[in-house]
Amino acid sequence: MTVEIILECKELTKTFLGFTAVKNVSLQVRQGSIHALIGPNGAGKTTVFNLLTKFLTPSSGTILFCGEDVSHEKPAQIARKGLVRSFQISATFPHLTVLENVRVALQRKAGLATQFWQSDKVLNKLNIRAAELVEAVNLAQYMNTKAVDLSYGRKRALEIATTLALDPKVILLDEPMAGMGHEEIDRVVALIRQAAIGRTVLMVEHNLSVVSNLCDTITVLQRGEIIAEGDYRTVSSDLRVREAYMGSEAAHA
Amino acid sequence: MKTSSYTSTWVKMAIIIGIILLFAAPFLKIYPVFLMSMMCFALFAASFNLLLGYVGLLSFGHAAFFGGGAYIAGYATKTWGFSPEISVILGGLAGALLGVGMGYLAIQRKGIYFSMITLALSQMVFFIAVQAPFTGGEDGLQPIPRGKLFGIVSLESNNAIYFFVLAVFITGIFALWRVVNSPFGQVLKAIREHEPRAISLGYDVHRYKLIAFTMSAAMTGVAGGLKALVTQIASLTDITWQTSGEVILMTILGGIGTVFGPILGAGLVKSLEDHLASIGFPVPVLIGIIFVACVLLFRRGIIGELEHFLSRKKT
Ligand SMILES: Nc1ncnc2c1ncn2[C@@H]1O[C@H](COP(=O)(O)OP(=O)(O)OP(=O)(O)O)[C@@H](O)[C@H]1O
Ligand SMILES: [Mg+2]
């Protein structure tokens, strides 16, 4: 047992006004893995992300990050420790340019976030690093475009570049490919693979073919509870998963 | 790129012409007290805009800082005999102090709740001003002497104080412009654009909001203090919720989140008020009309629409 668990939660529960959205969820994410969290709509996946990053306060349960109890930290603190999330609805700074979006993420670590007496021209020293990150997600030609003017797929790519700018230990991606076409999906898959080198990724994704060839471990959530866990073969042959997941897929069609 | 440097040349020219006009004004026989109080309100609106335009926080209680600054600066000159520059600084400190307290409570909430808390707290400050013995109750503090700058130069004449006001105004606007276009300002814009994302990048947004709120309140206090010296009165009018509403109107009319919008807005609203009051037209009616026109016809405000138009032409 030399595998390290980088992120773990124990019996996490979240109740909204009597409705239990997440129930006794215990999850272990291995360092260096790409871990998927799947489940039908409303299963509680986004809520789990919100709990892990403390955007929501758990009703009960504990969260361990790098072996340390972070259950009572503030969301910004969690991010500073290296557990960084993206959002289900793409989250960019719409009226900042692509370069500026990424630069905002670099500012804090560079110690260039609180100087109100200096010209913002000092931020130009972050441009080289920011441009590298932008190029890595194939947005070089949009460097000076405002984020609001990007296509949906490119916004998501920008979001990934911004997240990577923090050099996080663990990245949480909430449906990074939702609403994308085939080509865009392939591009984002490649991006995630690249981003996962030396890092850990926990992602929510509905597209099962993506999950099957990208992720090492899959956890299936249904009505707030974990119903199965393992690699793709184990999970996809699980009877309850077939029922829950395929059932909902069928309902979609 | 070419067009944007072209427009920025125009902007630079407009600024230079504006400053020259302001310096020349006393020699052009423009009613100086009016111009000076316009500059006070322009600084007020620009400070308010730091919050609304660059952090996305709509304060409905900024009159507390304006009035607070006016009372403190007025009291300092009138009762303690402080020189005007010290009094104005004290006005700024009063604004900052009130700002830290009100800001701390208000930023715990968002959107309309934030605005309502600022309104409620500023009403508390208003009632303190009504009750407290040192504010002079209904009469306010008057007449406030203008004193001697650095204890040497008398500012009693309108021309003398004019240049003092102009210096504070230009310094204040420059300071606000610097904050907006600084590394800190960039983080503020990020918070305005997408607060949860800013949090997820590790920023303590509460801290940033509180600092911005305090800065805005401090500069508003300076504007209030200046106004007390110019008009030689600090009264309850300065601290009413109507004054908070007026500064919102000025900012929206001129253009939220633009450096010069609030200045233009303050100039227009004050000129119109002055003109209409002299012909007996009910001012609140006009304020209402402008407000509706802004919301329906040009949401970006005058400068905002202009910038938008120019940037559209560029592409
Ligand atoms: N802030 C909230 N207040 C009340 N109920 C909530 C809140 N957030 C989520 N829920 C409820 O919790 C349940 C789980 O929602 P969640 O967004 O976590 O699902 P999800 O698995 O991410 O679904 P999807 O695939 O549609 O994104 C839903 O029934 C939702 O209505
Ligand atoms: Mg979700």
Side-chain angles (χ1 to χ4, degrees):
Chain A
M1 285 302 282
T2 50
V3 237
E4 280 218 36
I5 304 299
I6 188 160
L7 175 65
E8 179 174 10
C9 62
K10 291 179 185 161
E11 305 193 340
L12 215 50
T13 297
K14 179 68 187 178
T15 308
F16 296 111
L17 304 168
F19 168 72
T20 307
V22 171
K23 200 168 174 180
N24 283 328
V25 166
S26 298
L27 199 65
Q28 295 194 321
V29 180
R30 275 179 294 116
Q31 180 153 27
S33 66
I34 303 184
H35 193 133
L37 187 60
I38 66 170
N41 291 112
K45 305 176 297 288
T46 299
T47 307
V48 168
F49 269 27
N50 282 330
L51 294 172
L52 289 175
T53 50
K54 291 305 299 294
F55 274 71
L56 285 173
T57 308
S59 306
S60 66
T62 46
I63 303 159
L64 300 174
F65 180 56
C66 298
E68 184 194 349
D69 188 344
V70 294
S71 317
H72 301 286
E73 303 273 22
K74 290 200 176 111
Q77 258 168 331
I78 303 248
R80 290 199 290 271
K81 285 183 192 290
L83 175 60
V84 179
R85 65 170 305 177
S86 73
F87 294 81
Q88 183 165 357
I89 299 157
S90 101
T92 57
F93 304 117
H95 299 285
L96 303 187
T97 67
V98 166
L99 189 77
E100 286 171 333
N101 263 269
V102 176
R103 226 169 50 178
V104 168
L106 294 171
Q107 276 182 246
R108 190 175 46 75
K109 269 196 184 164
L112 287 171
T114 50
Q115 288 85 343
F116 56 81
W117 58 90
Q118 279 181 344
S119 162
D120 52 12
K121 291 204 176 77
V122 298
L123 297 176
N124 288 341
K125 44 179 155 176
L126 303 176
N127 285 0
I128 296 174
R129 178 73 191 123
E132 277 171 16
L133 288 154
V134 170
E135 277 155 24
V137 298
N138 297 315
L139 290 178
Q141 53 177 319
Y142 301 101
M143 206 74 84
N144 296 312
T145 307
K146 283 189 177 164
V148 66
D149 295 324
L150 293 177
S151 73
Y152 184 76
R154 296 200 174 99
K155 278 192 189 120
R156 303 256 41 167
L158 173 58
E159 223 187 315
I160 292 175
T162 309
T163 304
L164 289 179
L166 297 182
D167 195 15
K169 295 193 182 97
V170 177
I171 309 176
L172 305 188
L173 300 170
D174 198 350
E175 302 195 18
M177 292 155 232
M180 285 188 187
H182 277 300
E183 281 163 46
E184 279 185 319
I185 288 181
D186 291 344
R187 221 184 304 144
V188 175
V189 167
L191 255 173
I192 292 173
R193 274 225 170 83
Q194 203 189 338
I197 298 169
R199 291 201 182 81
T200 308
V201 176
L202 174 63
M203 60 189 283
V204 170
E205 187 48 58
H206 279 299
N207 187 324
L208 287 183
S209 72
V210 167
V211 169
S212 68
N213 69 61
L214 188 62
C215 303
D216 314 305
T217 312
I218 298 164
T219 301
V220 188
L221 211 59
Q222 189 198 13
R223 297 206 192 93
E225 288 181 278
I226 294 180
I227 58 167
E229 193 167 56
D231 61 15
Y232 185 71
R233 278 187 45 189
T234 324
V235 165
S236 60
S237 58
D238 187 294
L239 217 63
R240 286 173 71 191
V241 174
R242 294 180 79 96
E243 214 171 89
Y245 214 76
M246 308 306 161
S248 99
E249 292 282 282
H252 269 286
Chain B
M1 282 312 267
K2 212 174 162 191
T3 338
S4 83
S5 67
Y6 174 73
T7 40
S8 83
T9 316
W10 277 104
V11 171
K12 271 182 203 148
M13 270 176 61
I15 295 172
I16 291 168
I17 291 172
I19 291 178
I20 290 174
L21 278 178
L22 282 174
F23 269 100
F27 310 105
L28 299 175
K29 305 222 157 124
I30 301 171
Y31 183 46
V33 173
F34 175 68
L35 207 54
M36 286 189 280
S37 85
M38 214 151 86
M39 280 193 269
C40 296
F41 275 93
L43 187 57
F44 181 12
S47 313
F48 170 80
N49 183 46
L50 174 65
L51 267 193
L52 180 59
Y54 298 96
V55 201
L57 295 173
L58 174 59
S59 160
F60 215 121
H62 257 50
F65 315 130
F66 190 70
Y71 276 122
I72 297 298
Y75 194 81
T77 16
K78 193 164 188 279
T79 312
W80 294 332
F82 281 11
S83 55
E85 75 285 354
I86 304 284
S87 301
V88 169
I89 290 172
L90 285 179
L93 283 176
L97 221 61
L98 285 168
V100 172
M102 271 173 68
Y104 180 80
L105 294 171
I107 59 171
Q108 311 296 330
R109 294 281 175 274
K110 286 184 192 136
I112 188 78
Y113 301 103
F114 171 89
S115 306
M116 276 160 53
I117 292 172
T118 54
L119 174 61
L121 293 172
S122 74
Q123 285 304 94
M124 280 173 56
V125 176
F126 174 80
F127 284 115
I128 292 170
V130 173
Q131 299 293 335
F134 79 94
T135 56
E138 297 284 330
D139 299 332
L141 294 176
Q142 63 171 320
I144 297 168
R146 287 170 174 175
K148 288 184 173 154
L149 187 62
F150 304 118
I152 307 167
V153 189
S154 166
L155 296 183
E156 289 305 329
S157 90
N158 280 339
N159 274 356
I161 196 173
Y162 180 86
F163 288 101
F164 173 63
V165 172
L166 184 57
V168 175
F169 170 72
I170 291 176
T171 312
I173 296 293
F174 175 76
L176 291 167
W177 174 81
R178 173 41 76 230
V179 169
V180 165
N181 296 294
S182 70
F184 175 75
Q186 189 73 11
V187 176
L188 292 185
K189 285 173 213 163
I191 293 171
R192 168 194 75 187
E193 298 278 293
H194 202 306
E195 184 171 333
R197 185 52 172 161
I199 295 173
S200 83
L201 296 181
Y203 289 107
D204 284 318
V205 301
H206 271 49
R207 220 178 98 221
Y208 285 84
K209 283 182 179 176
L210 185 57
I211 294 172
F213 196 101
T214 307
M215 286 176 167
S216 168
M219 196 57 88
T220 301
V222 166
L226 209 54
K227 186 246 144 209
L229 294 181
V230 167
T231 58
Q232 305 194 276
I233 174 168
S235 71
L236 291 174
T237 320
D238 301 330
I239 207 162
T240 52
W241 64 266
Q242 284 92 336
T243 301
S244 295
E246 202 176 71
V247 80
I248 296 176
L249 179 76
M250 290 168 177
T251 309
I252 293 179
L253 175 66
I256 295 167
T258 63
V259 175
F260 296 102
I263 300 175
L264 182 68
L268 283 176
V269 170
K270 279 288 152 198
S271 312
L272 276 171
E273 276 180 8
D274 189 60
H275 181 66
L276 292 174
S278 68
I279 60 168
F281 186 89
V283 173
V285 173
L286 168 90
I287 300 267
I289 293 171
I290 298 179
F291 205 84
V292 171
C294 282
V295 172
L296 291 181
L297 301 175
F298 50 107
R299 287 180 175 225
R300 292 185 186 88
I302 296 168
I303 300 276
E305 291 292 346
L306 203 69
E307 279 178 0
H308 183 69
F309 175 74
L310 288 173
S311 74
R312 274 294 119 106
K313 246 175 76 173
K314 199 166 73 181
T315 49

